[in-house]
Amino acid sequence: MVVPTHLEGSSGKRWYIYGNQHAVILTGYKAVKEGLIDNSQAFVDRPHTPFLSVLTKNRGIGFSHGHVWMQQRRFSVITMRKLGLGKRGLETQIQEEAQHLVEFFTSTKGQAFDPAIPITNSFCNTICAAAFGYRFSTDDKEFLELIEAIRIILKFAGSVCHALYEVFPHIMEYLPGPHQTVKSACERIISFSRKQVKHHKENQNLHEPQDFIDFYLFQIEKSKDHPNSTYNEDQLTHCIFDLFVAGTDTTSSSLKWALLVMANHLDVQDKVHKEIKEALGSSHSICYQDRKKVPYTNAVIHEIMRNKFILLFGLPRQCVKDVYVDNFLIPKGAILTPDLRSVLFDPEHWETPDEFNPNHFLDKEGNFVPKDAFLPFGAGARVCLGELLAKIEIFIVFTSLLREFRFQPPEGEKELSQKTIIGLGVSCLPYKICALPYNNQS
């Protein structure tokens, strides 16, 4: 392997040269903004790596490129917006998932428990509702196999075995190992999606489309005579694959961090509960628009997502043309990676970047203030497709739980560990927590 040459430029740009392959890491808000936002169209492609090419075949949303990516991305963005809000939209499904979590937490009767599985099941079911139009029982065998397949893929991404495959694909292809298990896991998700597509085709409704598959099948029919159309069932199943892999672990990790942080900051938690009860009451069905009524709670959620970020780096992008960023030439074909942590902890934009401080998102009057440097979902043309869905999920579920429970460490523990597990993303160590129901008079 070639040891990379490291050069560092102004505005936090770092250059790594692997043989004849240039790679640039953008560090800090100024550099990331100039690269991903100001020059967004110059960095719309994904690098072509051996393992990802085997898995995706230039299909779907996350790792496709060129005309395929443009069509799939545009369609998916529009469709997710249509599904996201409204009386019959995903917001209702998310409210139902929040209620399922409330019921499960109530059943623990204040005893210490691990919240990881119910949280993951809940967020995976939200993707099921978006893609298929309905949720699964958490005892459903196929549903549990789907979650296990997602876990296997995410655990493998960024591992040593993954790196070896990217460097020695012709050798690794014929060797046993985790990479073969991942291929099987990917095929299980694709097969699961094909089954759902077949079911939708057999029971196509005459009414308006209700879920992602409905909208996509309608788009296939609408575009069948267009010579440049990339809409087909293979693309559809890979789009669903991307939704599950990208949308389940990130949001569930955010909520696990949120409960952990609240258990370690009881004063903040009590203030959140008080605001929710006073502004939204006890029986009000919480919706995303309610965030405007609870500025402190909204600030706490944003600060958790900033301070306990899920992604160290945004997914790599490839430069499609020669472009200058801060007077540095980034040549066509160079790989660019944004250091998202450096943006979320940039001392020029956060008063106390290393501390958990909800005041980062509040003005002196206590009003919520959005921040340009809040980029946990990335930025530019490849910004996370599920950003809106994730924000709706986390707000509704978090406020629903904090309205009903006071979260504390188990008896005998002063606080929960905030050590991290670093993989493709950043997750907390497994923990147990106590969910103590508030009295009706609280």
Side-chain angles (χ1 to χ4, degrees):
M1 294 179 65
V2 178
V3 177
T5 300
H6 168 225
L7 304 171
E8 187 156 348
S10 64
S11 300
K13 282 181 290 296
R14 298 175 184 171
W15 292 72
Y16 294 82
I17 305 176
Y18 296 80
N20 63 352
Q21 182 68 64
H22 295 80
V24 181
I25 295 181
L26 298 182
T27 304
Y29 173 69
K30 181 181 178 182
V32 170
K33 176 181 180 296
E34 188 168 353
L36 299 192
I37 299 176
D38 298 344
N39 290 281
S40 179
Q41 293 306 311
F43 302 105
V44 296
D45 271 0
R46 292 284 189 217
H48 305 171
T49 69
F51 194 69
L52 289 176
S53 295
V54 168
L55 293 186
T56 66
K57 301 178 179 66
N58 195 32
R59 295 170 180 164
I61 313 160
F63 294 96
S64 60
H65 48 268
H67 179 63
V68 172
W69 171 76
M70 290 180 65
Q71 283 206 334
Q72 302 302 316
R73 170 81 185 190
R74 186 184 303 115
F75 168 82
S76 298
V77 167
I78 293 171
T79 301
M80 292 304 290
R81 285 175 181 165
K82 290 177 181 176
L83 293 173
L85 300 170
K87 293 182 179 179
R88 300 180 65 186
L90 277 174
E91 194 169 68
T92 302
Q93 297 280 357
I94 295 168
Q95 290 167 347
E96 291 177 6
E97 290 303 326
Q99 185 56 37
H100 283 295
L101 280 178
V102 168
E103 292 170 1
F104 177 85
F105 286 12
T106 300
S107 72
T108 66
K109 298 180 179 179
Q111 299 300 307
F113 71 101
D114 184 343
I117 292 177
I119 288 173
T120 299
N121 289 352
S122 180
F123 285 120
C124 188
N125 250 327
T126 299
I127 303 298
C128 287
F132 312 139
Y134 59 91
R135 75 187 304 274
F136 287 81
S137 164
T138 53
D139 297 325
D140 187 281
K141 182 181 177 181
E142 286 188 307
F143 178 71
L144 295 176
E145 288 178 350
L146 175 66
I147 291 177
E148 176 62 13
I150 295 170
R151 186 195 67 80
I152 290 171
I153 294 167
L154 293 173
K155 183 179 179 181
F156 177 80
S159 67
V160 173
C161 187
H162 181 193
L164 287 172
Y165 193 105
E166 299 292 15
V167 178
F168 306 110
H170 300 298
I171 297 174
M172 295 294 289
E173 179 65 26
Y174 298 101
L175 294 178
H179 54 293
Q180 305 294 1
T181 305
V182 168
K183 289 182 184 179
S184 297
C186 291
E187 185 51 42
R188 283 206 300 275
I189 298 176
I190 295 296
S191 178
F192 184 83
S193 300
R194 287 197 189 105
K195 181 179 178 180
Q196 295 297 325
V197 171
K198 181 181 178 183
H199 175 75
H200 275 65
K201 289 176 67 179
E202 292 172 348
N203 299 276
Q204 264 185 305
N205 297 314
L206 297 177
H207 57 66
E208 290 295 316
Q210 301 296 307
D211 54 53
F212 192 89
I213 293 179
D214 280 344
F215 278 104
Y216 202 104
L217 291 176
F218 179 76
Q219 185 66 31
I220 291 175
E221 181 64 23
K222 179 181 175 182
S223 308
K224 65 181 181 181
D225 295 326
H226 296 186
N228 295 324
S229 172
T230 64
Y231 300 110
N232 56 63
E233 290 182 26
D234 283 338
Q235 290 286 358
L236 169 55
T237 55
H238 276 270
C239 286
I240 294 171
F241 174 90
D242 289 346
L243 291 175
F244 275 108
V245 173
T248 299
D249 185 69
T250 49
T251 47
S252 59
S253 291
S254 290
L255 187 63
K256 284 184 282 185
W257 272 122
L259 299 186
L260 186 155
V261 171
M262 289 298 92
N264 287 348
H265 295 83
L266 295 177
D267 55 334
V268 174
Q269 183 181 174
D270 290 341
K271 190 172 179 179
V272 167
H273 172 75
K274 184 174 184 292
E275 182 184 60
I276 294 172
K277 292 286 283 190
E278 290 179 352
L280 306 181
S282 300
S283 58
H284 174 80
S285 184
I286 297 172
C287 61
Y288 188 53
Q289 284 285 41
D290 288 333
R291 70 191 186 281
K292 299 175 182 178
K293 302 176 184 177
V294 285
Y296 183 76
T297 301
N298 198 19
V300 167
I301 292 172
H302 279 70
E303 178 63 3
I304 291 170
M305 295 174 70
R306 183 202 70 83
N307 187 256
K308 300 301 179 185
F309 52 89
I310 302 304
L311 295 176
L312 280 167
F313 299 95
L315 292 176
R317 309 186 190 189
Q318 192 157 31
C319 192
V320 299
K321 62 181 180 180
D322 289 352
V323 62
Y324 281 90
V325 176
D326 195 22
N327 297 320
F328 279 81
L329 172 64
I330 300 180
K332 180 179 179 179
I335 295 172
L336 180 138
T337 302
D339 179 354
L340 297 181
R341 182 198 177 282
S342 71
V343 179
L344 298 172
F345 281 67
D346 191 331
E348 294 186 10
H349 292 268
W350 309 102
E351 184 179 355
T352 56
D354 295 324
E355 299 177 12
F356 172 71
N357 180 7
N359 289 325
H360 283 142
F361 294 92
L362 295 169
D363 63 18
K364 293 180 180 180
E365 286 72 42
N367 300 309
F368 178 80
V369 179
K371 293 294 185 72
D372 291 339
F374 180 70
L375 298 177
F377 299 96
R382 289 270 186 174
V383 67
C384 176
L385 171 66
E387 179 177 357
L388 175 60
L389 177 60
K391 288 180 176 179
I392 297 172
E393 286 181 286
I394 293 169
F395 177 79
I396 292 178
V397 175
F398 179 82
T399 52
S400 297
L401 293 176
L402 268 291
R403 180 168 66 176
E404 302 296 333
F405 305 101
R406 192 173 198 257
F407 293 96
Q408 297 179 182
E411 187 175 354
E413 294 186 34
K414 289 186 177 180
E415 65 176 32
L416 300 174
S417 172
Q418 298 191 57
K419 292 182 179 179
T420 58
I421 301 173
I422 306 296
L424 181 63
V426 181
S427 57
C428 55
L429 293 172
Y431 65 86
K432 289 189 176 182
I433 200 168
C434 298
L436 306 177
Y438 282 100
N439 294 327
N440 292 334
Q441 291 76 26
S442 64

